[in-house]
Amino acid sequence: MSGSVKEAPGQAESLFLELHKKFIKDTPPSGGLRPLAEAALKRFETLGFPHRKHEMYTFVGTQDLVAQPFTLSGGDPTPDGDFLRSQILPGCEKSVVVLVDGRYRADLSDTSALAGDLAIVHLAEALADSDLQKYFKQVVDEENDVFAALNAAFLTEGVQLALKQKAAPEAPLQILCVSSGSAAGPVLNQPRVLIQVGPLAEVKLITSFCGERPNYFVNATMDILVEEGGQVACSQVQRDALDAWNFCKTRISLASDSRCFSVGAYYGSRLVRHHCDARLKAPGAEFALNAVSVLGGQEQAHQFVRIHHEAPHTTSHQLFKNIVDGKGRTSVDGTVIVCAGAQLTHSDQLINNLMLSDEARVDNKPNLMIFADDVKCTHGATVGQVDPDQMFYLKTRGLSEKTAKELLTKSFAESVIDTVRFPALAAELKRSLLKKLEA
Amino acid sequence: MLEIKDLHAGFDGAEILQGISLSVKAGEVHAIMGPNGSGKSTLAKVLAGHPSYEATAGGVMYGGRNLLDMDAEQRALEGIFLGFQYPVEIPGVNNAEFLRMAYNAKRVHNGEDELDPLDFDEILNEKMSWLGMEVKYKNRSLNDGFSGGEKKKNEILQMAILQPKLAVLDETDSGLDIDALRVVAGGVNKLRSPDNALILITHYQRLLEYIQPDFVHVLSRGKIVKSGEKGLALELEAMGYDWLTTTNA
């Protein structure tokens, strides 16, 4: 029925409103977080969960997700030591910030390699800064993604990671978001991390999502604010339990001559949605977003990208490589917005999909909205199967059908993996990301 | 070694080869010449086992076995090598790694152990120096962004590594300048032995100055219209293909 698109009005929302009451009672947000959480709750109520034709959720069905009887993770579960160690990347042993079920855990974190460069502050304290307060109020008031509003409505345990002016630590900072999951029933956890990169600082970040047990929904929000001349190379690695939901909104704000180069790697799970909202606010800002996903079974991953060129002389690049097998489903909905006056913007976007089965599904929605007249913007999307000419070539050299197919699939993903700026992570992705296709 | 009998084959229902018979013995070099569209490349693809090409009549025996029953991979493992007219670019596949995989696939097929990267590297370095190939081509993606000449050298490099019993080189000379042609031909000549055979498919006689064929066959409209010794190539060069097609019409 096209007339009634909103399913079971209010029912799903009321589940979460109940959950919120419990949250306010059990773990009331402190200080400056309280008004933000309240404003965000209002935003959540106004937005409501998306109906099937919601513009932001065209390719993502959330009806099943929001009908789940979620509980909030209680207590301070401590992950198994071996599990935790296995999730820390080589080279990050002394530069890792651990969040368990959205809570920052100083007892599990070690940032000694970044001493003097990094300050870790509870968000409630960080909000004493009036500029930050203003920023948070604005993003809450203007929030258009209901899941990000939901995250803010439950804001109590956020953490600020501030990298000082001109900091250039050798070691990459790993932000490890562990979901502990539960055998009892689905658990909701909502990490909130604010990363501030000071002027002329040069840092490497890796955000990794992992689950110790199944049965959870991680709904994260990351804010990355890069000040003048700051440079960030960041990677986001999603490697959750197979039945997990992983939603993450990343807001990136780039000041003049700052750069953010990010690479996402998605191992897939029940439903992954990454919402990237980048704002190039001043001349010289540059943003790159590359992502690779490998999906099989019934897994689904969705990229929702909005890049706003708000100033002249700004540059953005996007490259997506998605591999789908089985009944997997991948989609990219990416819009580049060149605001009025943002002359000499340069933007490119390319989405490549490799389908390995007849039942896999791919949706692409590349889009450009240009309100300036002297810009260079390109976009493109391809969907294909393994190239038969390449297969034939490899087979004439004695490689088996299976080996040739694996080699070509790997090579498809590697052009993105090779852009990861941390050798240990790139090596790990090469080793494990494509493993699931080798069955 | 290779016995082609009245082979009819084509692509997408169109019969391009219309009854080819050819016998190649170990140690021989056969040149197949002919105008554009005569079926030269089709013959190469049929011999290598391209899945889109189908033999509709006749047969091909290779080393006493029915070649047409084997797929491309089996043919390669049994010693058939196709040097592509247009080598396929494969971005993201490391050239040296690919060469080692192909080399090891063959070793495993022959019941030998795989060679580790270090030992293989020695072999690779030696063969690359034959062809005057720079070391950088090891770590480049397979044929990706290679110039025409580099691609052809890379084909001969693969041939040198895989040491085929029967190599079919499809217009290996096209796109090569004279210096590259000399190097490539030198590489091919080094690989000649009484145990292996070579089929050279070419449009021009030029290549045959460097790789001396034992026999020359002229292909026209899917048939061999004339066979002879190497002098035939010179005759063709002087008179043009029209001479043959008209005298045989």
Side-chain angles (χ1 to χ4, degrees), chain A residues 300-322:
Chain A
Q300 186 182 355
H302 177 66
Q303 295 275 347
F304 185 86
V305 182
R306 294 292 179 267
I307 296 177
H308 307 258
H309 288 263
E310 296 179 354
H313 291 284
T314 49
T315 308
S316 70
H317 310 282
Q318 295 173 72
L319 174 63
F320 298 93
K321 295 262 183 181
N322 303 309

mmCIF file with all atom_site columns, all heavy atoms in Angstrom, chain A residues 300-322:
data_model
loop_
_atom_site.group_PDB
_atom_site.id
_atom_site.type_symbol
_atom_site.label_atom_id
_atom_site.label_alt_id
_atom_site.label_comp_id
_atom_site.label_asym_id
_atom_site.label_entity_id
_atom_site.label_seq_id
_atom_site.pdbx_PDB_ins_code
_atom_site.Cartn_x
_atom_site.Cartn_y
_atom_site.Cartn_z
_atom_site.occupancy
_atom_site.B_iso_or_equiv
_atom_site.pdbx_formal_charge
_atom_site.auth_seq_id
_atom_site.auth_comp_id
_atom_site.auth_asym_id
_atom_site.auth_atom_id
_atom_site.pdbx_PDB_model_num
ATOM 1   N N   . GLN A 1 300 ? 24.174 -7.513 5.078  1.00 0.00 ? 300 GLN A N   1
ATOM 2   C CA  . GLN A 1 300 ? 23.896 -6.272 4.366  1.00 0.00 ? 300 GLN A CA  1
ATOM 3   C C   . GLN A 1 300 ? 24.738 -5.137 4.925  1.00 0.00 ? 300 GLN A C   1
ATOM 4   O O   . GLN A 1 300 ? 24.892 -5.008 6.144  1.00 0.00 ? 300 GLN A O   1
ATOM 5   C CB  . GLN A 1 300 ? 22.413 -5.895 4.482  1.00 0.00 ? 300 GLN A CB  1
ATOM 6   C CG  . GLN A 1 300 ? 22.089 -4.677 3.622  1.00 0.00 ? 300 GLN A CG  1
ATOM 7   C CD  . GLN A 1 300 ? 20.649 -4.211 3.732  1.00 0.00 ? 300 GLN A CD  1
ATOM 8   O OE1 . GLN A 1 300 ? 19.831 -4.843 4.380  1.00 0.00 ? 300 GLN A OE1 1
ATOM 9   N NE2 . GLN A 1 300 ? 20.352 -3.091 3.108  1.00 0.00 ? 300 GLN A NE2 1
ATOM 10  N N   . ALA A 1 301 ? 25.282 -4.337 4.032  1.00 0.00 ? 301 ALA A N   1
ATOM 11  C CA  . ALA A 1 301 ? 26.024 -3.145 4.467  1.00 0.00 ? 301 ALA A CA  1
ATOM 12  C C   . ALA A 1 301 ? 25.629 -1.978 3.591  1.00 0.00 ? 301 ALA A C   1
ATOM 13  O O   . ALA A 1 301 ? 25.459 -2.118 2.377  1.00 0.00 ? 301 ALA A O   1
ATOM 14  C CB  . ALA A 1 301 ? 27.522 -3.395 4.388  1.00 0.00 ? 301 ALA A CB  1
ATOM 15  N N   . HIS A 1 302 ? 25.467 -0.852 4.239  1.00 0.00 ? 302 HIS A N   1
ATOM 16  C CA  . HIS A 1 302 ? 25.012 0.341  3.529  1.00 0.00 ? 302 HIS A CA  1
ATOM 17  C C   . HIS A 1 302 ? 25.880 1.536  3.895  1.00 0.00 ? 302 HIS A C   1
ATOM 18  O O   . HIS A 1 302 ? 26.208 1.746  5.057  1.00 0.00 ? 302 HIS A O   1
ATOM 19  C CB  . HIS A 1 302 ? 23.554 0.634  3.902  1.00 0.00 ? 302 HIS A CB  1
ATOM 20  C CG  . HIS A 1 302 ? 23.007 1.875  3.280  1.00 0.00 ? 302 HIS A CG  1
ATOM 21  N ND1 . HIS A 1 302 ? 22.821 1.999  1.921  1.00 0.00 ? 302 HIS A ND1 1
ATOM 22  C CD2 . HIS A 1 302 ? 22.612 3.052  3.819  1.00 0.00 ? 302 HIS A CD2 1
ATOM 23  C CE1 . HIS A 1 302 ? 22.328 3.213  1.663  1.00 0.00 ? 302 HIS A CE1 1
ATOM 24  N NE2 . HIS A 1 302 ? 22.202 3.866  2.797  1.00 0.00 ? 302 HIS A NE2 1
ATOM 25  N N   . GLN A 1 303 ? 26.251 2.285  2.883  1.00 0.00 ? 303 GLN A N   1
ATOM 26  C CA  . GLN A 1 303 ? 27.000 3.521  3.108  1.00 0.00 ? 303 GLN A CA  1
ATOM 27  C C   . GLN A 1 303 ? 26.094 4.681  2.734  1.00 0.00 ? 303 GLN A C   1
ATOM 28  O O   . GLN A 1 303 ? 25.585 4.733  1.621  1.00 0.00 ? 303 GLN A O   1
ATOM 29  C CB  . GLN A 1 303 ? 28.235 3.563  2.197  1.00 0.00 ? 303 GLN A CB  1
ATOM 30  C CG  . GLN A 1 303 ? 29.274 2.508  2.469  1.00 0.00 ? 303 GLN A CG  1
ATOM 31  C CD  . GLN A 1 303 ? 30.234 2.910  3.572  1.00 0.00 ? 303 GLN A CD  1
ATOM 32  O OE1 . GLN A 1 303 ? 30.284 4.082  3.975  1.00 0.00 ? 303 GLN A OE1 1
ATOM 33  N NE2 . GLN A 1 303 ? 30.973 1.946  4.085  1.00 0.00 ? 303 GLN A NE2 1
ATOM 34  N N   . PHE A 1 304 ? 25.923 5.568  3.683  1.00 0.00 ? 304 PHE A N   1
ATOM 35  C CA  . PHE A 1 304 ? 25.146 6.772  3.408  1.00 0.00 ? 304 PHE A CA  1
ATOM 36  C C   . PHE A 1 304 ? 26.108 7.947  3.578  1.00 0.00 ? 304 PHE A C   1
ATOM 37  O O   . PHE A 1 304 ? 26.580 8.213  4.683  1.00 0.00 ? 304 PHE A O   1
ATOM 38  C CB  . PHE A 1 304 ? 23.981 6.861  4.394  1.00 0.00 ? 304 PHE A CB  1
ATOM 39  C CG  . PHE A 1 304 ? 23.041 7.999  4.123  1.00 0.00 ? 304 PHE A CG  1
ATOM 40  C CD1 . PHE A 1 304 ? 21.997 7.863  3.233  1.00 0.00 ? 304 PHE A CD1 1
ATOM 41  C CD2 . PHE A 1 304 ? 23.213 9.218  4.755  1.00 0.00 ? 304 PHE A CD2 1
ATOM 42  C CE1 . PHE A 1 304 ? 21.134 8.928  2.971  1.00 0.00 ? 304 PHE A CE1 1
ATOM 43  C CE2 . PHE A 1 304 ? 22.357 10.281 4.505  1.00 0.00 ? 304 PHE A CE2 1
ATOM 44  C CZ  . PHE A 1 304 ? 21.309 10.131 3.608  1.00 0.00 ? 304 PHE A CZ  1
ATOM 45  N N   . VAL A 1 305 ? 26.411 8.607  2.478  1.00 0.00 ? 305 VAL A N   1
ATOM 46  C CA  . VAL A 1 305 ? 27.487 9.601  2.529  1.00 0.00 ? 305 VAL A CA  1
ATOM 47  C C   . VAL A 1 305 ? 26.973 10.966 2.054  1.00 0.00 ? 305 VAL A C   1
ATOM 48  O O   . VAL A 1 305 ? 26.323 11.056 1.012  1.00 0.00 ? 305 VAL A O   1
ATOM 49  C CB  . VAL A 1 305 ? 28.670 9.161  1.626  1.00 0.00 ? 305 VAL A CB  1
ATOM 50  C CG1 . VAL A 1 305 ? 29.808 10.168 1.708  1.00 0.00 ? 305 VAL A CG1 1
ATOM 51  C CG2 . VAL A 1 305 ? 29.153 7.772  2.005  1.00 0.00 ? 305 VAL A CG2 1
ATOM 52  N N   . ARG A 1 306 ? 27.264 11.961 2.845  1.00 0.00 ? 306 ARG A N   1
ATOM 53  C CA  . ARG A 1 306 ? 26.968 13.325 2.420  1.00 0.00 ? 306 ARG A CA  1
ATOM 54  C C   . ARG A 1 306 ? 28.236 14.145 2.626  1.00 0.00 ? 306 ARG A C   1
ATOM 55  O O   . ARG A 1 306 ? 28.723 14.264 3.751  1.00 0.00 ? 306 ARG A O   1
ATOM 56  C CB  . ARG A 1 306 ? 25.823 13.933 3.265  1.00 0.00 ? 306 ARG A CB  1
ATOM 57  C CG  . ARG A 1 306 ? 24.474 13.238 3.054  1.00 0.00 ? 306 ARG A CG  1
ATOM 58  C CD  . ARG A 1 306 ? 23.929 13.498 1.649  1.00 0.00 ? 306 ARG A CD  1
ATOM 59  N NE  . ARG A 1 306 ? 22.655 12.840 1.378  1.00 0.00 ? 306 ARG A NE  1
ATOM 60  C CZ  . ARG A 1 306 ? 22.516 11.640 0.808  1.00 0.00 ? 306 ARG A CZ  1
ATOM 61  N NH1 . ARG A 1 306 ? 23.580 10.934 0.458  1.00 0.00 ? 306 ARG A NH1 1
ATOM 62  N NH2 . ARG A 1 306 ? 21.322 11.132 0.584  1.00 0.00 ? 306 ARG A NH2 1
ATOM 63  N N   . ILE A 1 307 ? 28.757 14.665 1.537  1.00 0.00 ? 307 ILE A N   1
ATOM 64  C CA  . ILE A 1 307 ? 29.967 15.487 1.645  1.00 0.00 ? 307 ILE A CA  1
ATOM 65  C C   . ILE A 1 307 ? 29.588 16.909 1.237  1.00 0.00 ? 307 ILE A C   1
ATOM 66  O O   . ILE A 1 307 ? 29.091 17.132 0.129  1.00 0.00 ? 307 ILE A O   1
ATOM 67  C CB  . ILE A 1 307 ? 31.089 14.928 0.755  1.00 0.00 ? 307 ILE A CB  1
ATOM 68  C CG1 . ILE A 1 307 ? 31.476 13.528 1.265  1.00 0.00 ? 307 ILE A CG1 1
ATOM 69  C CG2 . ILE A 1 307 ? 32.304 15.852 0.778  1.00 0.00 ? 307 ILE A CG2 1
ATOM 70  C CD1 . ILE A 1 307 ? 32.528 12.841 0.432  1.00 0.00 ? 307 ILE A CD1 1
ATOM 71  N N   . HIS A 1 308 ? 29.801 17.821 2.146  1.00 0.00 ? 308 HIS A N   1
ATOM 72  C CA  . HIS A 1 308 ? 29.411 19.211 1.899  1.00 0.00 ? 308 HIS A CA  1
ATOM 73  C C   . HIS A 1 308 ? 30.660 20.047 1.644  1.00 0.00 ? 308 HIS A C   1
ATOM 74  O O   . HIS A 1 308 ? 31.483 20.213 2.537  1.00 0.00 ? 308 HIS A O   1
ATOM 75  C CB  . HIS A 1 308 ? 28.692 19.794 3.122  1.00 0.00 ? 308 HIS A CB  1
ATOM 76  C CG  . HIS A 1 308 ? 27.534 18.963 3.588  1.00 0.00 ? 308 HIS A CG  1
ATOM 77  N ND1 . HIS A 1 308 ? 26.218 19.286 3.320  1.00 0.00 ? 308 HIS A ND1 1
ATOM 78  C CD2 . HIS A 1 308 ? 27.485 17.818 4.310  1.00 0.00 ? 308 HIS A CD2 1
ATOM 79  C CE1 . HIS A 1 308 ? 25.414 18.368 3.862  1.00 0.00 ? 308 HIS A CE1 1
ATOM 80  N NE2 . HIS A 1 308 ? 26.164 17.465 4.468  1.00 0.00 ? 308 HIS A NE2 1
ATOM 81  N N   . HIS A 1 309 ? 30.768 20.531 0.432  1.00 0.00 ? 309 HIS A N   1
ATOM 82  C CA  . HIS A 1 309 ? 31.856 21.476 0.143  1.00 0.00 ? 309 HIS A CA  1
ATOM 83  C C   . HIS A 1 309 ? 31.306 22.868 0.467  1.00 0.00 ? 309 HIS A C   1
ATOM 84  O O   . HIS A 1 309 ? 30.532 23.413 -0.300 1.00 0.00 ? 309 HIS A O   1
ATOM 85  C CB  . HIS A 1 309 ? 32.264 21.386 -1.327 1.00 0.00 ? 309 HIS A CB  1
ATOM 86  C CG  . HIS A 1 309 ? 33.007 20.126 -1.660 1.00 0.00 ? 309 HIS A CG  1
ATOM 87  N ND1 . HIS A 1 309 ? 34.376 20.061 -1.706 1.00 0.00 ? 309 HIS A ND1 1
ATOM 88  C CD2 . HIS A 1 309 ? 32.570 18.866 -1.936 1.00 0.00 ? 309 HIS A CD2 1
ATOM 89  C CE1 . HIS A 1 309 ? 34.756 18.822 -2.007 1.00 0.00 ? 309 HIS A CE1 1
ATOM 90  N NE2 . HIS A 1 309 ? 33.672 18.075 -2.149 1.00 0.00 ? 309 HIS A NE2 1
ATOM 91  N N   . GLU A 1 310 ? 31.711 23.399 1.602  1.00 0.00 ? 310 GLU A N   1
ATOM 92  C CA  . GLU A 1 310 ? 31.132 24.673 2.039  1.00 0.00 ? 310 GLU A CA  1
ATOM 93  C C   . GLU A 1 310 ? 32.025 25.853 1.706  1.00 0.00 ? 310 GLU A C   1
ATOM 94  O O   . GLU A 1 310 ? 31.649 26.997 1.948  1.00 0.00 ? 310 GLU A O   1
ATOM 95  C CB  . GLU A 1 310 ? 30.869 24.613 3.554  1.00 0.00 ? 310 GLU A CB  1
ATOM 96  C CG  . GLU A 1 310 ? 29.815 23.561 3.907  1.00 0.00 ? 310 GLU A CG  1
ATOM 97  C CD  . GLU A 1 310 ? 29.542 23.454 5.402  1.00 0.00 ? 310 GLU A CD  1
ATOM 98  O OE1 . GLU A 1 310 ? 30.240 24.118 6.181  1.00 0.00 ? 310 GLU A OE1 1
ATOM 99  O OE2 . GLU A 1 310 ? 28.626 22.698 5.763  1.00 0.00 ? 310 GLU A OE2 1
ATOM 100 N N   . ALA A 1 311 ? 33.218 25.578 1.215  1.00 0.00 ? 311 ALA A N   1
ATOM 101 C CA  . ALA A 1 311 ? 34.155 26.675 0.930  1.00 0.00 ? 311 ALA A CA  1
ATOM 102 C C   . ALA A 1 311 ? 34.857 26.394 -0.399 1.00 0.00 ? 311 ALA A C   1
ATOM 103 O O   . ALA A 1 311 ? 34.936 25.249 -0.840 1.00 0.00 ? 311 ALA A O   1
ATOM 104 C CB  . ALA A 1 311 ? 35.183 26.768 2.053  1.00 0.00 ? 311 ALA A CB  1
ATOM 105 N N   . PRO A 1 312 ? 35.374 27.449 -1.033 1.00 0.00 ? 312 PRO A N   1
ATOM 106 C CA  . PRO A 1 312 ? 36.096 27.236 -2.288 1.00 0.00 ? 312 PRO A CA  1
ATOM 107 C C   . PRO A 1 312 ? 37.412 26.479 -2.064 1.00 0.00 ? 312 PRO A C   1
ATOM 108 O O   . PRO A 1 312 ? 37.874 26.374 -0.929 1.00 0.00 ? 312 PRO A O   1
ATOM 109 C CB  . PRO A 1 312 ? 36.368 28.657 -2.796 1.00 0.00 ? 312 PRO A CB  1
ATOM 110 C CG  . PRO A 1 312 ? 36.154 29.563 -1.645 1.00 0.00 ? 312 PRO A CG  1
ATOM 111 C CD  . PRO A 1 312 ? 35.273 28.868 -0.665 1.00 0.00 ? 312 PRO A CD  1
ATOM 112 N N   . HIS A 1 313 ? 37.968 25.968 -3.141 1.00 0.00 ? 313 HIS A N   1
ATOM 113 C CA  . HIS A 1 313 ? 39.251 25.255 -3.104 1.00 0.00 ? 313 HIS A CA  1
ATOM 114 C C   . HIS A 1 313 ? 39.232 24.077 -2.139 1.00 0.00 ? 313 HIS A C   1
ATOM 115 O O   . HIS A 1 313 ? 40.139 23.899 -1.333 1.00 0.00 ? 313 HIS A O   1
ATOM 116 C CB  . HIS A 1 313 ? 40.399 26.209 -2.700 1.00 0.00 ? 313 HIS A CB  1
ATOM 117 C CG  . HIS A 1 313 ? 40.718 27.235 -3.727 1.00 0.00 ? 313 HIS A CG  1
ATOM 118 N ND1 . HIS A 1 313 ? 41.420 26.949 -4.873 1.00 0.00 ? 313 HIS A ND1 1
ATOM 119 C CD2 . HIS A 1 313 ? 40.421 28.555 -3.780 1.00 0.00 ? 313 HIS A CD2 1
ATOM 120 C CE1 . HIS A 1 313 ? 41.541 28.055 -5.583 1.00 0.00 ? 313 HIS A CE1 1
ATOM 121 N NE2 . HIS A 1 313 ? 40.937 29.032 -4.951 1.00 0.00 ? 313 HIS A NE2 1
ATOM 122 N N   . THR A 1 314 ? 38.200 23.299 -2.195 1.00 0.00 ? 314 THR A N   1
ATOM 123 C CA  . THR A 1 314 ? 38.162 22.107 -1.345 1.00 0.00 ? 314 THR A CA  1
ATOM 124 C C   . THR A 1 314 ? 38.083 20.872 -2.239 1.00 0.00 ? 314 THR A C   1
ATOM 125 O O   . THR A 1 314 ? 37.614 20.949 -3.374 1.00 0.00 ? 314 THR A O   1
ATOM 126 C CB  . THR A 1 314 ? 36.956 22.147 -0.382 1.00 0.00 ? 314 THR A CB  1
ATOM 127 O OG1 . THR A 1 314 ? 35.793 22.461 -1.143 1.00 0.00 ? 314 THR A OG1 1
ATOM 128 C CG2 . THR A 1 314 ? 37.156 23.182 0.713  1.00 0.00 ? 314 THR A CG2 1
ATOM 129 N N   . THR A 1 315 ? 38.528 19.766 -1.708 1.00 0.00 ? 315 THR A N   1
ATOM 130 C CA  . THR A 1 315 ? 38.673 18.557 -2.521 1.00 0.00 ? 315 THR A CA  1
ATOM 131 C C   . THR A 1 315 ? 38.126 17.349 -1.786 1.00 0.00 ? 315 THR A C   1
ATOM 132 O O   . THR A 1 315 ? 38.349 17.201 -0.580 1.00 0.00 ? 315 THR A O   1
ATOM 133 C CB  . THR A 1 315 ? 40.179 18.309 -2.800 1.00 0.00 ? 315 THR A CB  1
ATOM 134 O OG1 . THR A 1 315 ? 40.734 19.488 -3.328 1.00 0.00 ? 315 THR A OG1 1
ATOM 135 C CG2 . THR A 1 315 ? 40.378 17.169 -3.789 1.00 0.00 ? 315 THR A CG2 1
ATOM 136 N N   . SER A 1 316 ? 37.408 16.496 -2.492 1.00 0.00 ? 316 SER A N   1
ATOM 137 C CA  . SER A 1 316 ? 36.996 15.228 -1.863 1.00 0.00 ? 316 SER A CA  1
ATOM 138 C C   . SER A 1 316 ? 37.098 14.092 -2.868 1.00 0.00 ? 316 SER A C   1
ATOM 139 O O   . SER A 1 316 ? 36.899 14.269 -4.068 1.00 0.00 ? 316 SER A O   1
ATOM 140 C CB  . SER A 1 316 ? 35.570 15.326 -1.312 1.00 0.00 ? 316 SER A CB  1
ATOM 141 O OG  . SER A 1 316 ? 34.637 15.392 -2.364 1.00 0.00 ? 316 SER A OG  1
ATOM 142 N N   . HIS A 1 317 ? 37.441 12.927 -2.340 1.00 0.00 ? 317 HIS A N   1
ATOM 143 C CA  . HIS A 1 317 ? 37.558 11.720 -3.175 1.00 0.00 ? 317 HIS A CA  1
ATOM 144 C C   . HIS A 1 317 ? 36.810 10.591 -2.492 1.00 0.00 ? 317 HIS A C   1
ATOM 145 O O   . HIS A 1 317 ? 36.879 10.459 -1.276 1.00 0.00 ? 317 HIS A O   1
ATOM 146 C CB  . HIS A 1 317 ? 39.015 11.273 -3.308 1.00 0.00 ? 317 HIS A CB  1
ATOM 147 C CG  . HIS A 1 317 ? 39.968 12.344 -3.694 1.00 0.00 ? 317 HIS A CG  1
ATOM 148 N ND1 . HIS A 1 317 ? 40.091 12.786 -4.984 1.00 0.00 ? 317 HIS A ND1 1
ATOM 149 C CD2 . HIS A 1 317 ? 40.838 13.074 -2.960 1.00 0.00 ? 317 HIS A CD2 1
ATOM 150 C CE1 . HIS A 1 317 ? 41.005 13.742 -5.022 1.00 0.00 ? 317 HIS A CE1 1
ATOM 151 N NE2 . HIS A 1 317 ? 41.472 13.928 -3.809 1.00 0.00 ? 317 HIS A NE2 1
ATOM 152 N N   . GLN A 1 318 ? 36.141 9.780  -3.287 1.00 0.00 ? 318 GLN A N   1
ATOM 153 C CA  . GLN A 1 318 ? 35.496 8.605  -2.712 1.00 0.00 ? 318 GLN A CA  1
ATOM 154 C C   . GLN A 1 318 ? 35.737 7.399  -3.616 1.00 0.00 ? 318 GLN A C   1
ATOM 155 O O   . GLN A 1 318 ? 35.609 7.511  -4.836 1.00 0.00 ? 318 GLN A O   1
ATOM 156 C CB  . GLN A 1 318 ? 33.985 8.800  -2.625 1.00 0.00 ? 318 GLN A CB  1
ATOM 157 C CG  . GLN A 1 318 ? 33.527 9.895  -1.690 1.00 0.00 ? 318 GLN A CG  1
ATOM 158 C CD  . GLN A 1 318 ? 32.032 10.099 -1.835 1.00 0.00 ? 318 GLN A CD  1
ATOM 159 O OE1 . GLN A 1 318 ? 31.238 9.281  -1.407 1.00 0.00 ? 318 GLN A OE1 1
ATOM 160 N NE2 . GLN A 1 318 ? 31.662 11.178 -2.490 1.00 0.00 ? 318 GLN A NE2 1
ATOM 161 N N   . LEU A 1 319 ? 36.044 6.299  -3.025 1.00 0.00 ? 319 LEU A N   1
ATOM 162 C CA  . LEU A 1 319 ? 36.193 5.055  -3.790 1.00 0.00 ? 319 LEU A CA  1
ATOM 163 C C   . LEU A 1 319 ? 35.622 3.905  -2.969 1.00 0.00 ? 319 LEU A C   1
ATOM 164 O O   . LEU A 1 319 ? 36.065 3.646  -1.851 1.00 0.00 ? 319 LEU A O   1
ATOM 165 C CB  . LEU A 1 319 ? 37.669 4.788  -4.100 1.00 0.00 ? 319 LEU A CB  1
ATOM 166 C CG  . LEU A 1 319 ? 37.977 3.448  -4.781 1.00 0.00 ? 319 LEU A CG  1
ATOM 167 C CD1 . LEU A 1 319 ? 37.320 3.345  -6.149 1.00 0.00 ? 319 LEU A CD1 1
ATOM 168 C CD2 . LEU A 1 319 ? 39.487 3.242  -4.915 1.00 0.00 ? 319 LEU A CD2 1
ATOM 169 N N   . PHE A 1 320 ? 34.628 3.251  -3.519 1.00 0.00 ? 320 PHE A N   1
ATOM 170 C CA  . PHE A 1 320 ? 34.010 2.120  -2.819 1.00 0.00 ? 320 PHE A CA  1
ATOM 171 C C   . PHE A 1 320 ? 34.221 0.852  -3.625 1.00 0.00 ? 320 PHE A C   1
ATOM 172 O O   . PHE A 1 320 ? 34.029 0.842  -4.840 1.00 0.00 ? 320 PHE A O   1
ATOM 173 C CB  . PHE A 1 320 ? 32.506 2.346  -2.645 1.00 0.00 ? 320 PHE A CB  1
ATOM 174 C CG  . PHE A 1 320 ? 32.179 3.542  -1.808 1.00 0.00 ? 320 PHE A CG  1
ATOM 175 C CD1 . PHE A 1 320 ? 31.946 4.771  -2.402 1.00 0.00 ? 320 PHE A CD1 1
ATOM 176 C CD2 . PHE A 1 320 ? 32.128 3.451  -0.426 1.00 0.00 ? 320 PHE A CD2 1
ATOM 177 C CE1 . PHE A 1 320 ? 31.662 5.888  -1.639 1.00 0.00 ? 320 PHE A CE1 1
ATOM 178 C CE2 . PHE A 1 320 ? 31.843 4.560  0.349  1.00 0.00 ? 320 PHE A CE2 1
ATOM 179 C CZ  . PHE A 1 320 ? 31.611 5.781  -0.253 1.00 0.00 ? 320 PHE A CZ  1
ATOM 180 N N   . LYS A 1 321 ? 34.594 -0.190 -2.929 1.00 0.00 ? 321 LYS A N   1
ATOM 181 C CA  . LYS A 1 321 ? 34.725 -1.501 -3.588 1.00 0.00 ? 321 LYS A CA  1
ATOM 182 C C   . LYS A 1 321 ? 33.923 -2.484 -2.756 1.00 0.00 ? 321 LYS A C   1
ATOM 183 O O   . LYS A 1 321 ? 34.260 -2.739 -1.598 1.00 0.00 ? 321 LYS A O   1
ATOM 184 C CB  . LYS A 1 321 ? 36.190 -1.940 -3.599 1.00 0.00 ? 321 LYS A CB  1
ATOM 185 C CG  . LYS A 1 321 ? 37.082 -1.038 -4.427 1.00 0.00 ? 321 LYS A CG  1
ATOM 186 C CD  . LYS A 1 321 ? 37.299 -1.624 -5.789 1.00 0.00 ? 321 LYS A CD  1
ATOM 187 C CE  . LYS A 1 321 ? 38.239 -0.770 -6.612 1.00 0.00 ? 321 LYS A CE  1
ATOM 188 N NZ  . LYS A 1 321 ? 38.432 -1.314 -7.948 1.00 0.00 ? 321 LYS A NZ  1
ATOM 189 N N   . ASN A 1 322 ? 32.866 -2.979 -3.322 1.00 0.00 ? 322 ASN A N   1
ATOM 190 C CA  . ASN A 1 322 ? 32.012 -3.907 -2.586 1.00 0.00 ? 322 ASN A CA  1
ATOM 191 C C   . ASN A 1 322 ? 31.986 -5.261 -3.277 1.00 0.00 ? 322 ASN A C   1
ATOM 192 O O   . ASN A 1 322 ? 31.801 -5.336 -4.487 1.00 0.00 ? 322 ASN A O   1
ATOM 193 C CB  . ASN A 1 322 ? 30.584 -3.362 -2.509 1.00 0.00 ? 322 ASN A CB  1
ATOM 194 C CG  . ASN A 1 322 ? 30.546 -1.986 -1.866 1.00 0.00 ? 322 ASN A CG  1
ATOM 195 O OD1 . ASN A 1 322 ? 31.102 -1.800 -0.794 1.00 0.00 ? 322 ASN A OD1 1
ATOM 196 N ND2 . ASN A 1 322 ? 29.932 -1.023 -2.538 1.00 0.00 ? 322 ASN A ND2 1
#
